[in-house]
Amino acid sequence: MEFNVVNKSIDGLCDKLNTLVNEVRNLKPEDSPIGNCFFNLVQILLIFYLYSFISYRWYFIAKMSDEVVDSNPYSRLMALKRMHIVKNYENIRQKSVVVVGIGGVGSVAAEMLTRCGIGKLLLFDYDKVELANMNRLFYQPNQSGLSKVEAACGTAINPDVDIEIYNMNITTVDNYKVFTEKIRNGGLNDGKVDLVLSCVDNFEARMTINTACNEENQVWMESGVSENAVSGHIQYIEPGRTACFACTPPLIVASNIDERTLKREGVCAASLPTTMAVVAGFLVQNALKYLLEFGEVSPYVGYNALCDFFPRQELLPNPHCGDRYCKQRQEEYQVTYFSLVLYTGSNQGTDVVDTNVVHDDNSWGIELVETSSTLPKKNELQLKEGLVFAYEPSEQSQVSNVFLIVIREAMK
Amino acid sequence: MEFNVVNKSIDGLCDKLNTLVNEVRNLKPEDSPIGNCFFNLVQILLIFYLYSFISYRWYFIAKMSDEVVDSNPYSRLMALKRMHIVKNYENIRQKSVVVVGIGGVGSVAAEMLTRCGIGKLLLFDYDKVELANMNRLFYQPNQSGLSKVEAACGTAINPDVDIEIYNMNITTVDNYKVFTEKIRNGGLNDGKVDLVLSCVDNFEARMTINTACNEENQVWMESGVSENAVSGHIQYIEPGRTACFACTPPLIVASNIDERTLKREGVCAASLPTTMAVVAGFLVQNALKYLLEFGEVSPYVGYNALCDFFPRQELLPNPHCGDRYCKQRQEEYQVTYFSLVLYTGSNQGTDVVDTNVVHDDNSWGIELVETSSTLPKKNELQLKEGLVFAYEPSEQSQVSNVFLIVIREAMK
C-alpha cells in the first residue's frame, strides 16, 4: 500500500522535471553554436542533478509495513515480530532519544537508531569533524570542518525520523538549562524523552548528564571506550534504583582546571573503529531492548578486546552519593519498593539479594576477599599537577564491596 | 613531513583551478546578457565541483605518521604503538584481506579495514543494493540498484587502500577458480593474501570458502548472524589445527536444490544494525589481532543479544571430516607438531589438553555429561521437503564431545 504512494511521488517529480526541461528549451533565445552548447550543458546538469535527487530515494513512509519487497526499508525490522522477538516493533516511532556526544560511539549509535526508524533523535555536540576522526566509522573526509551535529544530520538517510541538533557544550550554565528542558519537553508531542544515551569522552560531561538525569528522574545509558582503544563498557542507569555516575566516580579527577589541558601536547588517545562499533552496538541494542521491551536490559556490559572478555555486574546506589537528587530518588524508590512488598507480600521481581547460604561446606576454597584494606591511602600516591583525590573512602564505609572494586579498577 | 606533501598537492590543484577559470573567462565570445549569465553559471558550477573535489580530501599518504594534528587520519591508530598495544601498526600496509559477502556484516567489516589503512582489500559479492538493506549500516538509499561491490568501492574513503572488486558468485566452477587464484596470488606484490573473512549468509557459500581455504592452506574467519537477528558468532579457522566448517556442519542441509528457494514467499530473515555491527566489530578486531600480532586471537566468540551472553569455545578438527584437504592439513599439522615435540622435548606452546586429574574429590558434583545418546535419530524427526540429514553420527564415533554439542546447538 505505502509503496504506491512512493511511486506516485516519483512519477509526479518526473513530470515536473520534464516540464522544467521543456521550459528551459523554449527559453532558448539564439541559435549560435556556443549558445546551443551551453543550453545542452545546462540541461544535462539539470537532469543529472534532479535524477540523482529523486532516484531510489527513501521517501516518507506513513506506516511501517512488513511487506517483503526490495523497496521496503522496514521489512527486516518488522520481521522481528514474526520471529517473536519484539511484540510491537512499530512502537519505535513513538520513542524519542537524546544522544550526547556524536563522536566515534555516538555517531554510529545515532545512525543505528535512524536506520531502525526511531521517532525522534536529539543530538548534542559542540565539536567539529576532522580528518583525524576518519579512523572510526560514520564521518566522511568531505565533512571535515562541519560541526559534528550538522554533519550527522546531513547524512541521516531516514526521512521518517525527526532529528533536532544542538551544537552546544551542555556543561555551561545556560546550555545545561536547554539540555534539561529538552529532557523534560523535547520528546514527541512535547513530552518527556524516553532515553538519554551518553557517548561523551570526559568526566565533566558525564557528571553533567548524570546531574540532569537525576534531577529529571530520567533513565539513561552510559558508554565509554578506554584511551588505549581496546576496552569499553555500557551501563544502564535508573535514578534511585541503580548506582548513578556520582555513586561510583573515579578516585582521581581534575582539580578545577579544564580536563583537556591535562593532556600532553602531541599526545592523543588511541581509537579503533572495531571497539567503537562494538560499544555502539551494545549501547543501541540495550536501548532497543529497553524501549521495545524485549530480552533483558543489561545493567552493565564490559568489553575487553584483547582477550574477548565481557564482564557483567550490577551496581546498587551509594547511600552516601554526593548528588542530592540521587539520594532523593533513592528514597523515592525505597518508598515505592516497600509499598510494593507490603502490598503484594512478596519481593518478587525486585533485586534484593538472597542471603541464604547455598553450600555449607567449601572444599574448593572459594571465598570473597576483603578488598577495602588494599585501597591506597592519599599519602601513598603521588599525583601529577592538576589532579586531586575526589575523596578517601572510610574504612567503616557502608558502601558495598562492588563499589570499592570499581574504584580500584578506575585507578589501574 | 607528510602533510607538507598534501598541502602542496592542494596548492597545486588550486593553481590549476584558477588557470582553468581564467581560460574559460578568456574564451567568452559574446557580450549578450544571456551569454554572460551562462558563462557565470558554468564558472560557478566548475568552481563548486572542483572545490568539493579537492577540499578536505584524504590524500595519498606515503608513510603512516604518528603526528598528532587534526589533519592526520592515522594519528589515533598510530597511538596504539605509544600505548604499547601494537608493536608495529604500520605493518597493516603490508597486509591483504579477502572479504566474501559485502552485506550487513561484510560491508561494515570492509569499511573498518579501509579506515584502519589495510594494504589491500579484495571484495567478492554478486548481490545488488536494495532499499530493504537500509536497516543495516553502510549502504545509502541512492546506491540502490548498484552492485554491492561497486557501491562499497565507490564509497571507500581511504586512497591508501588498494581495493579490487569481484562482482561474482564464488560457488560456480569458473568463479571458484578465480577465487582460489586470488587467494594464491591476489595479495600485495602478487603474493598470497593474509586472511579471508567470510561474511556470507548461506551454507553453500560457506562450504565453498571452506573448500578453497583448505585447498590453499589459508587461514580464514567465519561469521554469522541468526535469522532472528539477536545472535551471532565469529570463528577462527586454521586448516589442520582447528575444526574446519565441514568438520562441524549443520545436521540438516538443503538437498540438491537452491537454498534460497527453501525460503517461503513473503517471508524474510530479520536483521538489526546493532547485531551486525557487533559481529563485524568482533570479526575485524580478531583479524587485526591476527594480522598485527597483539592480544589473543579468539577461536570462537558467540553473541546472544537478548541476555548479553558471549559463549567461547575451541573446536578441534574432526578426523572423519568429509573434506579431503582438511584431512591432509590435519596430517601435515600432526607431523609438524610431533616434530616440534621430538625436537624440543616438550609440548609447550601447543594446544594438547593436559589429562592429569586436578581434583581427586568432587564434592561440588560437577561432571561432564555424555551427550551423544541425546542426539535424535533420523526417524525421530520429520523434515520438510527439500531438506535431508547430512549424516547420522555413529554411537562409537571418535569425534569429541564438543563436536556433538555443536551439532545439537545447530539443531535448536
Side-chain angles (χ1 to χ4, degrees):
Chain A
M1 288 288 283
E2 299 309 325
F3 299 98
N4 289 336
V5 179
V6 174
N7 287 335
K8 272 184 194 163
S9 308
I10 293 180
D11 289 345
L13 272 168
C14 283
D15 286 346
K16 278 184 192 160
L17 172 64
N18 282 330
T19 317
L20 206 61
V21 167
N22 284 331
E23 277 174 15
V24 170
R25 189 168 291 149
N26 292 336
L27 268 176
K28 193 171 70 168
E30 50 202 328
D31 279 328
S32 73
I34 284 180
N36 264 332
C37 166
F38 281 123
F39 270 114
N40 290 338
L41 185 68
V42 171
Q43 279 180 36
I44 289 164
L45 285 171
L46 202 67
I47 291 167
F48 183 77
Y49 176 75
L50 283 175
Y51 183 76
S52 69
F53 187 77
I54 64 164
S55 65
Y56 301 111
R57 226 178 128 81
W58 180 344
Y59 289 98
F60 174 74
I61 296 173
K63 189 168 172 286
M64 278 189 175
S65 147
D66 59 2
E67 198 185 352
V68 180
V69 287
D70 289 342
S71 54
N72 180 5
Y74 295 122
S75 57
R76 264 68 165 172
L77 294 165
M78 292 293 275
L80 289 164
K81 289 173 72 177
R82 201 172 37 241
M83 304 271 178
H84 305 292
I85 300 293
V86 183
K87 272 193 187 147
N88 286 301
Y89 188 84
E90 55 272 46
N91 282 1
I92 200 165
R93 288 215 158 171
Q94 272 77 57
K95 306 294 177 184
S96 45
V97 175
V98 171
V99 185
V100 190
I102 315 298
V105 172
S107 62
V108 178
E111 183 177 1
M112 286 171 175
L113 287 168
T114 306
R115 290 183 183 258
C116 283
I118 192 87
K120 184 171 177 181
L121 266 187
L122 298 96
L123 310 180
F124 286 80
D125 202 307
Y126 64 101
D127 208 3
K128 284 193 168 171
V129 181
E130 306 287 357
L131 271 185
N133 305 138
M134 293 307 135
N135 68 320
R136 285 148 277 176
L137 298 182
F138 193 73
Y139 291 115
Q140 300 285 325
N142 60 9
Q143 294 175 320
S144 303
L146 287 178
S147 77
K148 285 186 175 172
V149 288
E150 269 181 300
C153 186
T155 48
I157 61 165
N158 186 344
D160 303 331
V161 179
D162 183 4
I163 300 183
E164 281 181 10
I165 58 174
Y166 298 91
N167 190 10
M168 58 168 67
N169 177 356
I170 59 162
T171 65
T172 69
V173 176
D174 287 346
N175 293 343
Y176 178 81
K177 282 182 197 155
V178 176
F179 181 56
T180 50
E181 205 281 321
K182 286 296 154 191
I183 291 176
R184 264 197 311 277
N185 305 316
L188 289 165
N189 306 317
D190 300 330
K192 205 167 179 235
V193 299
D194 295 283
L195 187 64
V196 173
L197 299 181
S198 160
C199 308
V200 298
D201 63 354
N202 64 82
F203 178 72
E204 193 186 6
R206 283 191 177 89
M207 284 299 266
T208 306
I209 299 168
N210 187 63
T211 308
C213 290
N214 278 334
E215 194 174 334
E216 300 299 331
N217 205 1
Q218 172 65 53
V219 169
W220 64 293
M221 291 182 191
E222 218 283 287
S223 70
V225 174
S226 65
E227 273 208 339
N228 66 3
V230 285
S231 62
H233 74 276
I234 63 155
Q235 187 177 350
Y236 167 85
I237 300 176
E238 185 180 330
R241 200 178 81 78
T242 70
C244 82
F245 190 72
C247 286
T248 59
L251 183 59
I252 297 164
V253 295
S255 158
N256 288 326
I257 64 167
D258 189 334
E259 283 174 69
R260 283 155 297 180
T261 62
L262 279 172
K263 292 179 183 166
R264 279 169 295 162
E265 193 63 33
V267 174
C268 66
S271 61
L272 279 166
T274 44
T275 312
M276 297 277 190
V278 168
V279 170
F282 287 173
L283 183 69
V284 177
Q285 198 84 280
N286 222 29
L288 291 175
K289 289 194 279 185
Y290 172 75
L291 295 170
L292 299 175
E293 296 172 353
F294 69 98
E296 296 165 24
V297 177
S298 290
Y300 179 100
V301 185
Y303 171 43
N304 179 328
L306 289 183
C307 57
D308 284 319
F309 172 60
F310 305 89
R312 295 190 53 181
Q313 59 190 4
E314 182 144 9
L315 300 175
L316 297 181
N318 175 2
H320 307 291
C321 179
D323 186 299
R324 71 186 173 97
Y325 282 108
C326 174
K327 285 201 260 189
Q328 185 184 323
R329 301 300 164 216
Q330 289 183 44
E331 283 161 22
E332 288 166 8
Y333 176 73
Q334 277 162 18
V335 169
T336 319
Y337 166 66
F338 283 114
S339 316
L340 187 79
V341 173
L342 285 173
Y343 182 72
T344 64
S346 80
N347 59 6
Q348 276 193 328
T350 62
D351 47 12
V352 169
V353 180
D354 186 350
T355 52
N356 288 344
V357 175
V358 179
H359 303 280
D360 284 329
D361 58 340
N362 186 14
S363 54
W364 289 59
I366 296 166
E367 57 180 313
L368 290 170
V369 181
E370 180 57 53
T371 57
S372 57
S373 60
T374 63
L375 271 173
K377 298 283 170 54
K378 272 183 185 176
N379 53 7
E380 288 172 11
L381 254 173
Q382 292 293 322
L383 295 186
K384 289 195 186 140
E385 198 184 348
L387 293 173
V388 289
F389 285 95
Y391 53 89
E392 182 172 336
S394 125
E395 286 188 22
Q396 280 77 40
S397 170
Q398 296 166 38
V399 180
S400 70
N401 255 9
V402 174
F403 170 51
L404 297 180
I405 290 167
V406 167
I407 299 169
R408 220 171 40 167
E409 285 296 315
M411 290 190 57
K412 278 183 184 166
Chain B
M1 288 289 283
E2 299 308 325
F3 298 97
N4 290 336
V5 179
V6 174
N7 288 335
K8 273 185 193 162
S9 308
I10 293 180
D11 289 345
L13 272 167
C14 284
D15 285 346
K16 278 185 192 161
L17 172 63
N18 281 331
T19 317
L20 206 61
V21 168
N22 284 332
E23 277 175 15
V24 170
R25 189 169 291 148
N26 293 337
L27 268 176
K28 193 173 69 168
E30 50 202 330
D31 279 328
S32 72
I34 284 180
N36 264 333
C37 166
F38 281 123
F39 270 114
N40 290 337
L41 185 66
V42 171
Q43 278 180 37
I44 289 164
L45 285 171
L46 202 67
I47 291 167
F48 183 77
Y49 176 76
L50 283 175
Y51 182 76
S52 70
F53 187 77
I54 64 164
S55 65
Y56 301 112
R57 225 179 129 81
W58 181 344
Y59 288 97
F60 174 74
I61 296 172
K63 189 168 173 287
M64 278 188 174
S65 147
D66 59 3
E67 198 186 351
V68 180
V69 287
D70 288 342
S71 55
N72 180 5
Y74 295 121
S75 57
R76 265 67 166 172
L77 294 165
M78 292 293 276
L80 289 164
K81 289 173 71 177
R82 201 173 35 240
M83 303 271 178
H84 305 292
I85 300 294
V86 183
K87 271 192 188 148
N88 286 301
Y89 187 84
E90 55 271 47
N91 282 1
I92 200 165
R93 288 216 158 171
Q94 272 77 57
K95 306 294 177 183
S96 46
V97 175
V98 171
V99 184
V100 190
I102 315 298
V105 172
S107 61
V108 178
E111 183 177 0
M112 286 171 175
L113 287 168
T114 306
R115 290 182 183 258
C116 283
I118 192 88
K120 184 171 177 179
L121 266 187
L122 298 97
L123 310 179
F124 286 79
D125 203 306
Y126 64 101
D127 208 3
K128 285 192 167 170
V129 181
E130 306 287 356
L131 271 185
N133 305 138
M134 294 307 135
N135 67 320
R136 285 149 276 175
L137 298 183
F138 192 74
Y139 291 115
Q140 300 284 326
N142 60 9
Q143 294 175 320
S144 303
L146 287 178
S147 76
K148 285 186 174 172
V149 288
E150 270 181 299
C153 185
T155 47
I157 61 165
N158 186 343
D160 303 331
V161 179
D162 182 5
I163 300 183
E164 281 180 11
I165 58 174
Y166 298 91
N167 190 11
M168 58 168 68
N169 177 356
I170 59 162
T171 65
T172 69
V173 176
D174 287 346
N175 293 342
Y176 178 80
K177 282 182 197 156
V178 176
F179 181 55
T180 51
E181 206 280 322
K182 285 296 154 192
I183 291 176
R184 263 196 312 278
N185 306 316
L188 289 165
N189 306 317
D190 300 330
K192 206 167 179 238
V193 299
D194 295 284
L195 187 64
V196 173
L197 299 181
S198 160
C199 308
V200 297
D201 63 355
N202 64 82
F203 178 72
E204 194 186 4
R206 283 190 176 90
M207 283 299 265
T208 306
I209 298 168
N210 187 62
T211 308
C213 290
N214 278 334
E215 195 174 331
E216 300 299 331
N217 205 1
Q218 171 65 54
V219 169
W220 64 293
M221 291 181 190
E222 217 285 286
S223 70
V225 174
S226 65
E227 274 209 338
N228 67 3
V230 285
S231 63
H233 74 276
I234 63 154
Q235 186 178 349
Y236 167 85
I237 301 176
E238 184 180 332
R241 200 179 80 79
T242 70
C244 82
F245 190 71
C247 286
T248 59
L251 183 59
I252 298 164
V253 295
S255 158
N256 288 325
I257 64 167
D258 189 335
E259 282 174 70
R260 284 156 296 181
T261 63
L262 279 172
K263 292 178 183 167
R264 279 168 296 161
E265 193 63 33
V267 174
C268 66
S271 61
L272 278 166
T274 44
T275 313
M276 296 278 190
V278 168
V279 170
F282 287 174
L283 183 69
V284 177
Q285 198 84 281
N286 222 29
L288 291 175
K289 289 194 279 184
Y290 172 75
L291 295 170
L292 300 175
E293 296 172 352
F294 68 97
E296 296 164 24
V297 177
S298 290
Y300 179 100
V301 185
Y303 171 43
N304 179 329
L306 289 183
C307 57
D308 285 319
F309 172 60
F310 305 89
R312 296 190 54 180
Q313 59 190 3
E314 182 145 9
L315 300 175
L316 297 181
N318 174 2
H320 307 290
C321 178
D323 185 299
R324 71 185 173 97
Y325 282 108
C326 175
K327 285 202 260 188
Q328 186 184 322
R329 301 300 165 216
Q330 289 184 44
E331 283 161 22
E332 288 166 8
Y333 177 72
Q334 277 162 18
V335 169
T336 319
Y337 166 65
F338 283 115
S339 315
L340 188 78
V341 173
L342 284 173
Y343 182 72
T344 64
S346 80
N347 59 5
Q348 275 193 330
T350 62
D351 48 11
V352 169
V353 179
D354 186 349
T355 52
N356 289 344
V357 175
V358 179
H359 302 280
D360 284 328
D361 59 339
N362 185 15
S363 53
W364 288 58
I366 296 167
E367 56 180 313
L368 290 170
V369 181
E370 179 57 53
T371 57
S372 56
S373 61
T374 63
L375 272 173
K377 297 284 169 53
K378 273 183 184 175
N379 53 7
E380 288 171 10
L381 254 174
Q382 293 292 322
L383 295 187
K384 287 193 188 144
E385 199 183 347
L387 293 174
V388 288
F389 285 96
Y391 52 88
E392 182 173 334
S394 124
E395 287 188 20
Q396 280 77 40
S397 171
Q398 296 166 36
V399 180
S400 70
N401 255 9
V402 174
F403 170 51
L404 297 180
I405 291 167
V406 167
I407 299 170
R408 220 172 40 168
E409 285 296 314
M411 290 190 58
K412 278 183 185 165

